[in-house]
Amino acid sequence: MIIDRLLRFAAGAMIVLAVWTAILAGFALTMPPGTPLAVFAPGHALETVARAHGSFESIGRSVAVTRSAQEGFARGLYRAGALLVIDARIVMSCRHLFAKT
C-alpha cells in the first residue's frame, strides 16, 4: 500500500520535472540574441560552446554560461552537442540558493 503510493508519487514527480525541463528548454529557443544561456553538456561544456561560436561567461565541468549575438544560438548549441540549454539567469539564481557560505 505505502509502496504503491510512493511509486505513484515518484512517477508523478518525474513527469512534473520532465515537463518543467521541457518548458525551460523551449523558452531558451525563443530568447533574443545576447541573452546569457546555460549549457549542460556533461564532460564537454567548453567544447560545445566553442563549436557553437559562443562567448564564455562562466565555465564549469558540465555547465557553461555563454552568450552570442547570432540568431538561433540555442539551436546551434544543441547541434554542437548540448544536452540542455536554458536561460542562465535561472541557473544563477538556483546556484545562489545552494552556495556554501
Side-chain angles (χ1 to χ4, degrees):
M1 191 89 149
I2 289 179
I3 301 246
D4 290 338
R5 285 189 207 169
L6 286 174
L7 288 174
R8 277 186 276 159
F9 174 79
M14 289 174 52
I15 290 169
V16 168
L17 183 60
V19 168
W20 183 247
T21 302
I23 289 169
L24 291 177
F27 281 144
L29 295 173
T30 64
M31 292 291 168
T35 301
L37 298 173
V39 180
F40 295 87
H44 58 84
L46 182 66
E47 294 88 359
T48 301
V49 172
R51 281 193 298 260
H53 307 290
S55 65
F56 299 100
E57 304 284 320
S58 174
I59 301 167
R61 245 186 309 174
S62 299
V63 179
V65 176
T66 183
R67 68 174 76 213
S68 174
Q70 67 186 9
E71 285 286 331
F73 181 54
R75 284 182 183 83
L77 289 165
Y78 281 119
R79 283 192 297 271
L83 294 179
L84 179 65
V85 178
I86 63 173
D87 187 342
R89 295 171 290 190
I90 296 168
V91 173
M92 295 314 233
S93 65
C94 291
R95 187 176 182 190
H96 174 71
L97 290 174
F98 298 107
K100 293 180 182 176
T101 56

